[in-house]
Amino acid sequence: MSYHGPAGVEGTSVRVHLSGRWEPVDGRFHWGGRIEPEPRVAHLLRSGRRDVEVRIADRVRAARLAEVDPWGGVRITGVGDPPWPPVADPNSAPELTEG
């Protein structure tokens, strides 16, 4: 599962590159990735703010800022349902509707 696209972090519009996986050790879904360079988000982290909310469409999830990379992007992590909308299973058959 992954998502690449627009998001909001604490009211700031950003672009993110996120992916996730089920972790068998704790039985939870872990997701994370990178926020493309955005000075306001880097400033949040540098000022000591780590806990943030990520918004993608109508989904809001708690996340944690980890570090600023050499290019100015910010690493972000989260646990639980990911902030990106679920993708329909490409292997499922389309539903038949009466019409």
Side-chain angles (χ1 to χ4, degrees):
M1 295 182 81
S2 65
Y3 173 82
H4 307 282
V9 174
E10 297 299 315
T12 299
S13 295
V14 296
R15 290 200 53 84
V16 295
H17 303 274
L18 304 171
S19 64
R21 71 191 185 306
W22 287 102
E23 179 58 55
V25 174
D26 65 7
R28 300 187 303 173
F29 190 79
H30 290 252
W31 57 270
R34 180 177 185 263
I35 301 169
E36 289 185 3
E38 168 51 60
R40 289 174 284 192
V41 175
H43 178 73
L44 282 174
L45 179 58
R46 288 183 175 125
S47 67
R49 180 92 178 266
R50 295 220 179 252
D51 296 324
V52 296
E53 287 187 335
V54 176
R55 175 182 294 275
I56 298 175
D58 62 346
R59 296 170 65 100
V60 178
R61 299 294 184 263
R64 188 157 176 87
L65 301 177
E67 63 188 6
V68 178
D69 66 26
W71 303 274
V74 176
R75 175 104 173 102
I76 188 167
T77 62
V79 177
D81 286 338
W84 61 88
V87 178
D89 181 1
N91 297 322
S92 64
E95 291 184 26
L96 298 176
T97 58
E98 293 182 28

